[in-house]
Amino acid sequence: MNNQLIVLSGPSGVGKGTIVNKLLKKGGFALSVSCTTRQMRTGEEDGKSYFFITKEKFESLIKEGGFLEYSNHFGNYYGTPAKFVKDRLKTHDVVLEIDVDGALQIKKAYPRAVLIMILPPNEETLRTRLKGRGTESDERIEERIKRYNYELSKRQCYDFAVINGDLDKAVAEIENIIKEIKESKHD
């Protein structure tokens, strides 16, 4: 099996979701679906948006080693189910969009995972993108910039960094990284 687990991380507003969607449309990739104990929101689908499970089931899976990584945010668990990812890896490269802390947990649990940090060209571009969304207060934008600086401090833990200044170039660069990794494993 030469399929790869590709973990994409980066600050809010950098375009991770858009990159993931472009990769999925090109084919050959499967998206990892996380588990959560939070309630399903309008428009979400079990098994597509998340696997919505009970707190008891989640904690049972933790004890069984059923997650590549997990965390608790605001009283709800979120985690990457190991079996789901391993099953998808049998037939596809698997893309996982996750924060840096989760990515580092995954690297420990699955050392073959390829960690790619998606970065903006600079902090000002990120700030402009966040403001352009029109969904965040100035205070919340500043919180996200602080988080960006924390994430940037973890860059050396990643296998690659891709700057998303031009979406198509960033997607092509990620595809090339994956291709090179697969070719190097054949040597």
Side-chain angles (χ1 to χ4, degrees):
M1 177 190 73
N2 197 27
N3 292 321
Q4 296 295 308
L5 175 57
I6 301 107
V7 180
L8 300 181
S9 303
S12 180
V14 79
K16 296 178 303 290
T18 305
I19 288 171
V20 168
N21 288 335
K22 281 205 165 240
L23 289 170
L24 293 174
K25 283 180 184 170
K26 289 179 176 264
F29 294 94
L31 181 65
S32 175
V33 178
S34 297
C35 293
T36 186
T37 58
R38 76 160 170 76
Q39 292 297 307
M40 191 183 314
R41 295 179 185 146
T42 304
E44 290 182 327
E45 269 183 72
D46 187 43
K48 191 169 185 180
S49 307
Y50 286 96
F51 293 110
F52 294 93
I53 61 176
T54 66
K55 183 178 179 184
E56 294 73 25
K57 174 69 175 166
F58 201 105
E59 289 174 344
S60 173
L61 286 167
I62 290 171
K63 288 177 186 161
E64 296 166 11
F67 293 104
L68 294 176
E69 63 78 34
Y70 70 91
S71 61
N72 189 313
H73 296 284
F74 306 108
N76 290 304
Y77 285 113
Y78 296 83
T80 303
K83 183 178 181 337
F84 180 83
V85 170
K86 288 175 183 172
D87 287 348
R88 293 299 176 280
L89 281 169
K90 291 175 185 172
T91 57
H92 293 86
D93 291 315
V94 176
V95 179
L96 176 60
E97 178 187 338
I98 195 165
D99 73 8
V100 293
D101 298 323
L104 297 179
Q105 285 183 52
I106 285 181
K107 192 70 167 180
K108 283 182 186 172
Y110 194 81
R112 287 189 55 225
V114 178
L115 304 187
I116 303 174
M117 184 172 280
I118 309 299
L119 297 168
N122 53 53
E123 186 177 306
E124 197 51 44
T125 299
L126 181 63
R127 189 180 305 277
T128 300
R129 288 178 184 173
L130 289 168
K131 283 184 179 187
R133 291 203 274 195
T135 58
E136 318 252 356
S137 67
D138 287 343
E139 183 179 283
R140 186 73 175 132
I141 289 171
E142 290 311 311
E143 288 173 14
R144 293 197 183 277
I145 295 297
K146 284 181 188 167
R147 178 70 186 177
Y148 161 65
N149 289 319
Y150 166 73
E151 291 169 338
L152 199 55
S153 76
K154 302 293 183 188
R155 183 176 177 199
Q156 75 279 0
C157 301
Y158 277 67
D159 301 304
F160 301 93
V162 172
I163 295 173
N164 185 15
D166 176 293
L167 180 61
D168 291 329
K169 285 182 183 176
V171 170
E173 188 174 344
I174 292 167
E175 288 177 308
N176 285 334
I177 288 168
I178 296 163
K179 181 181 175 197
E180 287 175 17
I181 288 169
K182 289 180 150 201
E183 286 174 356
S184 72
K185 299 213 174 183
H186 274 89
D187 295 340

